[in-house]
Amino acid sequence: MKKQTLIIASLFVLVLLFVGGSYLYKNADHSVSSEKTSALLRPYAYVLGNPNAKTTIVEFFDPACGTCKSFYPFVKNILKQNPDKLKLVLRYAPFHTDSYYVVAMIEAARLQGKYLEALEVIYKYQDKWASHGTPNIGLIWGFLPEVGIDIEKLKDDMKKPEIDALIKQDIEDTKTLGVKATPEFFVNGKPLVKFGKQELEELIASEL
Amino acid sequence: MNQIQKSSNTLFTLLFFAWIVSMVATLGSLFFSEVMMFPPCVMCWYQRICMYPLAILFLVALFCNDKNVFKYAMPLVLLGLFFAIYHNLLYFGIVPETLAPCSQGVSCTSDYINWFGFITIQFLSLVAFALIFVTLIFIRRLLPR
């Protein structure tokens, strides 16, 4: 009888620890600490929306990531609904094979004033060039002229050391901030603890 | 205290220890995936398949004071131990990781936690399976020859 009491008491304690731990974890403050905020916002990062907005969404994305593609129009739509109060800072988390080069293409397109055009066309044809198992980023060259990007200039610009430095800094920042999956959102320094479109919408609404 | 009583107490202690280890491993892994939202990789899933039933097997054995649990638990422990060792070798790059599709986007070598430079999730799993393995060996010695 005593042994059974011990078993049941232990079971109770373990479950209680789990439930209590979950509660504490979910309610804890996960905001990015002040010494890490510089990793969140870099002056070179591309900004969408009102640059002087009070609420800042930082998105770490990978152009080869399907979920990032699906979040892109969603987040853009939220920006459109709050044109004055919101800005979106785009950062890179090139976790997939060869994503590094795709990011370099987007940055090089920015030098031609075609940042969003490049990003959107790369997302548009993601199924083709980023097919699972056999990614083929070479296909992207064929899609970019569609939005008027000069491929020869792009290839030259991609070799620029500042683009390389920028991507390396972004990768370094994903490590500092503990970004493990894409897309990862931070709204005014607060990460999205539970992932989902509705959760993101709620987090943004609470910061507006 | 007679011999039988003593042996029964030893069995209880061993089983209780094995059960606590399997429970902590089960709840801990659920905490990582369900609360901290770390998606489990393929290797983690194989180890979970071996670990989760152990938590229940040991609980039943505890109530029935069943030393025969060795027979039922050992295959799961061996399989789990195998995956845990393999997973750690993968992590340290001793075994190369083959190309895996990115459907889940989680590599078996990604680092979710790294405490003191060596305590990773796969290391914790290895420790849990090893502890249960040793405990089961002691339980085996209680079986009549």
Side-chain angles (χ1 to χ4, degrees):
Chain A
M1 197 55 218
K2 243 179 140 184
K3 285 176 181 172
Q4 291 190 357
T5 318
L6 176 65
I7 300 167
I8 291 166
S10 312
L11 189 62
F12 183 74
V13 168
L14 287 170
V15 172
L16 198 73
L17 277 174
F18 182 82
V19 175
S22 311
Y23 180 81
L24 287 178
Y25 184 84
K26 286 205 168 122
N27 286 287
D29 183 8
H30 297 283
S31 298
V32 174
S33 60
S34 51
E35 66 262 33
K36 286 183 183 169
T37 37
S38 61
L40 204 55
L41 296 163
R42 296 282 174 199
Y44 59 73
Y46 192 86
V47 178
L48 247 120
N50 175 11
N52 302 315
K54 261 169 60 190
T55 306
T56 308
I57 308 168
V58 178
E59 175 183 356
F60 279 90
F61 73 98
D62 182 329
C65 152
T67 314
C68 300
K69 175 186 169 170
S70 124
F71 265 83
Y72 178 73
F74 178 77
V75 177
K76 224 180 158 188
N77 193 35
I78 297 180
L79 281 181
K80 211 183 277 170
Q81 286 163 8
N82 303 282
D84 305 324
K85 288 183 276 182
L86 268 181
K87 70 166 177 259
L88 173 68
V89 180
L90 290 168
R91 306 289 309 275
Y92 306 110
F95 294 153
H96 284 74
T97 324
D98 291 343
S99 281
Y100 183 93
Y101 300 101
V102 184
V103 167
M105 288 177 196
I106 299 172
E107 277 301 320
R110 181 172 168 183
L111 299 176
Q112 299 179 29
K114 299 270 186 192
Y115 185 96
L116 284 184
E117 287 84 347
L119 177 64
E120 281 168 18
V121 88
I122 282 169
Y123 272 152
K124 183 178 163 191
Y125 293 109
Q126 195 191 57
D127 299 344
K128 296 210 166 67
W129 67 265
S131 75
H132 290 310
T134 51
N136 183 359
I137 62 162
L139 293 173
I140 297 175
W141 303 124
F143 305 134
L144 291 176
E146 195 174 292
V147 285
I149 290 169
D150 179 345
I151 295 295
E152 287 315 307
K153 185 176 177 337
L154 192 82
K155 283 186 176 169
D156 272 348
D157 288 343
M158 275 174 71
K159 294 177 198 137
K160 289 195 166 162
E162 53 266 37
I163 289 187
D164 186 59
L166 178 157
I167 304 170
K168 287 209 171 107
Q169 182 64 60
D170 271 26
I171 295 172
E172 194 54 46
D173 289 343
T174 62
K175 288 178 188 149
T176 310
L177 296 165
V179 173
K180 306 278 186 195
T182 52
E184 175 81 272
F185 293 95
F186 295 86
V187 182
N188 286 346
K190 294 196 177 84
L192 193 57
V193 176
K194 190 173 184 311
F195 187 78
K197 284 186 175 166
Q198 201 194 327
E199 285 79 3
L200 177 64
E201 217 167 3
E202 283 165 8
L203 180 61
I204 294 171
S206 73
E207 290 296 319
L208 273 174
Chain B
M1 198 187 287
N2 62 36
Q3 202 56 43
I4 296 168
Q5 181 76 41
K6 213 171 164 187
S7 150
S8 155
N9 277 342
T10 316
L11 176 66
F12 179 84
T13 312
L14 289 171
L15 273 175
F16 188 75
F17 178 72
W19 176 66
I20 291 288
V21 172
S22 63
M23 275 301 278
V24 170
T26 298
L27 293 177
S29 89
L30 285 173
F31 193 88
F32 284 135
S33 70
E34 302 310 304
V35 180
M36 297 176 84
M37 298 288 160
F38 297 157
C41 74
V42 178
M43 272 293 142
C44 296
W45 270 113
Y46 292 154
Q47 287 159 73
R48 286 168 159 220
I49 289 164
C50 299
M51 183 60 82
Y52 292 4
L54 286 173
I56 297 167
L57 281 182
F58 287 134
L59 185 62
V60 176
L62 263 179
F63 275 108
C64 306
N65 222 25
D66 184 10
K67 50 185 97 157
N68 283 313
V69 69
F70 175 85
K71 293 179 196 161
Y72 310 114
M74 203 45 151
L76 284 169
V77 173
L78 286 178
L79 205 60
L81 201 56
F82 168 77
F83 285 125
I85 291 171
Y86 185 73
H87 197 179
N88 277 274
L89 293 179
L90 265 185
Y91 177 74
F92 288 110
I94 299 166
V95 175
E97 192 177 22
T98 48
L99 280 177
C102 75
S103 54
Q104 293 296 314
V106 194
S107 155
C108 291
T109 53
S110 50
D111 230 351
Y112 287 124
I113 63 158
N114 194 335
W115 296 323
F116 317 113
F118 70 99
I119 301 177
T120 56
I121 294 177
Q122 44 273 49
F123 180 80
L124 289 172
S125 165
L126 182 64
V127 169
F129 277 115
L131 283 176
I132 296 172
F133 176 79
V134 172
T135 315
L136 276 180
I137 296 293
F138 280 111
I139 290 174
R140 172 78 178 79
R141 291 171 69 176
L142 296 172
L143 283 170
R145 313 238 154 207

